[in-house]
Amino acid sequence: MSSTRDEPQKDKEQPDSLLARGLSGRRPLVQWAVLLLTSAVLSILLRAVHIPAAFLLGPMIAGIAVAVMRASIRVPRWSAMLAQGVVGGLIASRFTPKVLGGLGRAWKLDLLVTAGVVGASSLLGWSLARLRVLPGSTAIWGSAPGGATSMVVMAEESGADGRLVAFMQYLRVLLVALAASAVAHFAVPGASLSHAASMFGQFDLVRFGGTLVIVFGGAVLGRVSRIPSGAMLVPIFIGGVTNATGWLTLELPPWLLVASYALVGWMVGVRFTREILVYAARAAPRILAAIVVLLVICGLMGGALTLFAGIDPLTAYLATSPGGVDTAAIIASSSNKADPLFVMTLQLTRAITMLLLGPTLAKRVARSFADDEGVG
């Protein structure tokens, strides 16, 4: 009788134990299959509702999900390094003679706006560290108004907590994109965040081969030379020079970018734990408030450009928006009232400024607060 009574108890415990175990103990092939399938579904859903960086956010969220389910898989270091090289190549591909020419003509205004946005973001990062919302250098990288993906990569390289940096960066990317979309909607009916590009369209094989040499060779050279964040910075420098001079126009097919975004997303996502999610949830209201303050400050700078420099409101807003370089460029290009060249010039100047100054700022803030970089 006792054994019969115990039987339902065993059956009742089995689902709980399976849920608690999650992916722990499963073969790596099974874990990767779950990660790939979840990433694909989430990316398609995010893309369908025009969420920016869908092919990075989808894999990152999927990585967080499998990490919480106690998966043991990790992204190989060599593949993460190559993905960083591709991200560097993407940034370098933005350097064109037109962009450099625009920088030369309006360099004073460019530097003034860049100093204002970088200064405001650094002050907010310092405040978050001061209030102990985030550890020192993590707060600086999370607040940095450069390209979100590159900021996460450099934060990881510098020893900051890439998980919290990613949480803050991509939350801001989403808010900036929504705000920019709203501004574009009211200023220019029909403007959209969508970007029609064939995933497997035709591309120039010669340029593609040269690009692979630059991004992959540069990534290896940057890692071997031990340059801080060299796997991304070396391809940016080499690729930027070749692209801007016209010696080689960089060719990065969408499928390669999607694969690289996924690797970066997984690299960050699978390192999350339940503890870090609880920490992020507790800090979310103050992080959100800091992002809103930064958006307001940048909006005021855009208003000043309109009042004192005669820049049209949409161009001014997109040029000063903190982050979302690609989104700002797409909206500017889709509008007949915005100046894409001016927008890209200011956005790229700010991104490069953060790439150069970010490590120094992060180290100084971390040293001044003597924080322990890592939570959970």
Side-chain angles (χ1 to χ4, degrees):
M1 291 290 292
S2 60
S3 60
T4 305
R5 290 177 183 175
D6 290 340
E7 202 63 37
Q9 184 69 22
K10 290 181 181 178
D11 293 338
K12 185 177 179 181
E13 288 177 353
Q14 280 183 342
D16 293 336
S17 61
L18 287 174
L19 182 62
R21 191 177 69 177
L23 292 174
S24 177
R26 302 285 185 181
R27 287 185 294 179
L29 185 61
V30 173
Q31 297 184 23
W32 277 110
V34 172
L35 179 60
L36 286 168
L37 179 60
T38 308
S39 299
V41 172
L42 289 175
S43 297
I44 292 172
L45 291 176
L46 292 174
R47 183 71 170 177
V49 295
H50 305 298
I51 298 297
F55 292 114
L56 187 142
L57 291 177
M60 184 181 296
I61 295 171
I64 293 172
V66 299
V68 171
M69 293 172 66
R70 305 186 188 281
S72 59
I73 54 176
R74 292 292 183 269
V75 177
R77 288 187 177 183
W78 63 267
S79 61
M81 177 190 69
L82 296 181
Q84 292 171 21
V86 173
V87 173
L90 176 63
I91 296 173
S93 69
R94 307 303 192 199
F95 287 91
T96 64
K98 283 187 177 181
V99 170
L100 295 181
L103 176 60
R105 288 190 297 271
W107 65 272
K108 290 183 180 180
L109 183 61
D110 194 353
L111 291 180
L112 181 62
V113 173
T114 297
V117 176
V118 171
S121 66
S122 299
L123 181 60
L124 284 175
W126 181 88
S127 300
L128 289 173
R130 181 73 178 178
L131 296 173
R132 297 192 178 278
V133 177
L134 293 172
S137 64
T138 300
I140 292 295
W141 286 117
S143 304
T149 306
S150 55
M151 293 300 102
V152 172
V153 170
M154 291 195 71
E156 288 274 350
E157 290 289 320
S158 68
D161 194 320
R163 301 164 296 183
L164 289 175
V165 172
F167 174 78
M168 188 169 181
Q169 281 285 344
Y170 292 108
L171 178 60
R172 191 180 73 231
V173 165
L174 179 59
L175 294 178
V176 167
L178 292 175
S181 181
V183 170
H185 175 74
F186 289 110
V188 185
S192 172
L193 288 180
S194 62
H195 182 54
S198 174
M199 184 70 68
F200 298 100
Q202 294 182 347
F203 54 90
D204 188 288
L205 287 176
V206 175
R207 291 206 303 262
F208 178 58
T211 301
L212 290 183
V213 172
I214 289 175
V215 296
F216 292 161
V220 173
L221 179 61
R223 179 57 60 89
V224 171
S225 62
R226 299 186 180 275
I227 297 173
S229 303
M232 186 172 61
L233 288 179
V234 172
I236 288 177
F237 177 76
I238 299 176
V241 171
T242 59
N243 200 78
T245 58
W247 185 74
L248 174 67
T249 301
L250 299 183
E251 184 87 32
L252 291 166
W255 57 264
L256 179 60
L257 294 174
V258 168
S260 299
Y261 289 162
L263 284 170
V264 173
W266 292 335
M267 179 179 66
V268 175
V270 296
R271 294 182 61 249
F272 269 82
T273 62
R274 297 181 183 184
E275 291 76 17
I276 198 70
L277 288 177
V278 171
Y279 184 94
R282 290 175 180 172
R286 287 174 288 182
I287 290 176
L288 182 61
I291 293 173
V292 171
V293 169
L294 183 59
L295 288 176
V296 171
I297 292 174
C298 292
L300 292 175
M301 290 182 188
L305 284 179
T306 299
L307 289 175
F308 300 111
I311 307 295
D312 70 89
L314 182 57
T315 297
Y317 176 81
L318 293 174
T320 56
S321 61
V325 179
D326 291 337
T327 299
I330 291 169
I331 296 177
S333 299
S334 67
S335 165
N336 57 6
K337 293 188 178 180
D339 182 355
L341 176 60
F342 185 82
V343 172
M344 284 301 297
T345 299
L346 265 68
Q347 289 280 352
L348 284 174
T349 301
R350 189 163 66 241
I352 294 300
T353 300
M354 287 310 306
L355 287 173
L356 296 175
L357 297 183
T360 301
L361 287 173
K363 286 180 181 178
R364 288 188 176 181
V365 171
R367 191 180 301 116
S368 64
F369 288 101
D371 281 316
D372 181 16
E373 291 296 339
V375 184

